[in-house]
Amino acid sequence: MRLITEPYLTQVSNWPENGRHLLAQYDDHSIVVYQAYRPSIANFATTYGYFGGEFSFDRMSWIKPNFLWMMYRSGWGTQNGQEVVLAIWIKRSAIEEILVAAVHSSYVPELYPHKSAWQRALKQSQVRLQWDPDHHPSGTKLERRAIQLGLRGEVLAAYAKD
């Protein structure tokens, strides 16, 4: 799949103005997520087709399906250690499994009967779900929330190699 691009001013009219949304490029089989890395990690991934080399399996790695949120987060590729932004195609079935395994980074009373239950789930989870403000290309925060997913452990290993 090739990335499909469209002018922001054309695309933005199709997006919701507020609420929590997973804005992503996808087809029936895959979805594009973004990550920013230092050149050595990105070069290894683009050369070999998987993450290895200096990629750390000992820390949480965050994937973002929303391109603008990724670009804002990486300072448009200027933040130290985030100079190269990768578009990564992953299987739709994989993102669905990741979403099912996700535990919110902050307590949501409607989802967890007690705060202690959420804390236990969070500690054991290999996937964290976080909703952050989406951003306009100028950097202005928007009312719409963008999802990011933190991966660790076996989930991160599978993502990095598959």
Side-chain angles (χ1 to χ4, degrees):
M1 172 180 17
R2 296 187 66 126
L3 284 175
I4 299 168
T5 60
E6 188 171 296
Y8 173 79
L9 293 176
T10 303
Q11 187 64 33
V12 73
S13 64
N14 297 319
W15 295 338
E17 292 183 15
N18 53 44
R20 295 176 174 183
H21 300 279
L22 197 160
L23 297 179
Q25 187 169 148
Y26 64 92
D27 63 19
D28 290 341
H29 308 287
S30 59
I31 183 171
V32 178
V33 297
Y34 300 93
Q35 289 192 285
Y37 291 105
R38 63 181 169 269
S40 59
I41 293 173
N43 290 340
F44 184 98
T46 57
T47 299
Y48 297 104
Y50 63 91
F51 290 103
E54 295 178 27
F55 182 85
S56 176
F57 289 92
D58 297 326
R59 58 188 295 266
M60 190 163 279
S61 187
W62 293 86
I63 60 174
K64 299 155 185 71
N66 181 309
F67 175 74
L68 279 177
W69 201 96
M70 177 72 264
M71 295 310 295
Y72 170 80
R73 177 67 178 85
S74 69
W76 293 88
T78 63
Q79 299 252 359
N80 187 31
Q82 298 184 26
E83 299 89 350
V84 182
V85 176
L86 299 178
I88 303 154
W89 282 259
I90 64 173
K91 295 176 189 168
R92 291 271 303 264
S93 58
I95 197 76
E96 289 165 5
E97 289 174 17
I98 288 169
L99 287 168
V100 166
V103 174
H104 287 75
S105 289
S106 56
Y107 177 58
V108 181
E110 300 81 19
L111 298 177
Y112 305 97
H114 304 285
K115 195 167 188 175
S116 60
W118 163 74
Q119 290 170 326
R120 279 191 305 279
L122 187 63
K123 188 179 255 188
Q124 295 171 354
S125 176
Q126 295 184 40
V127 181
R128 292 223 178 131
L129 184 152
Q130 194 164 298
W131 291 103
D132 295 310
D134 200 355
H135 288 80
H136 182 274
S138 69
T140 304
K141 284 185 182 180
L142 302 173
E143 291 297 317
R144 181 178 55 243
R145 306 296 277 190
I147 194 172
Q148 67 171 333
L149 299 159
L151 312 178
R152 66 179 176 184
E154 293 174 13
V155 174
L156 177 59
Y159 167 79
K161 297 296 181 183
D162 295 340

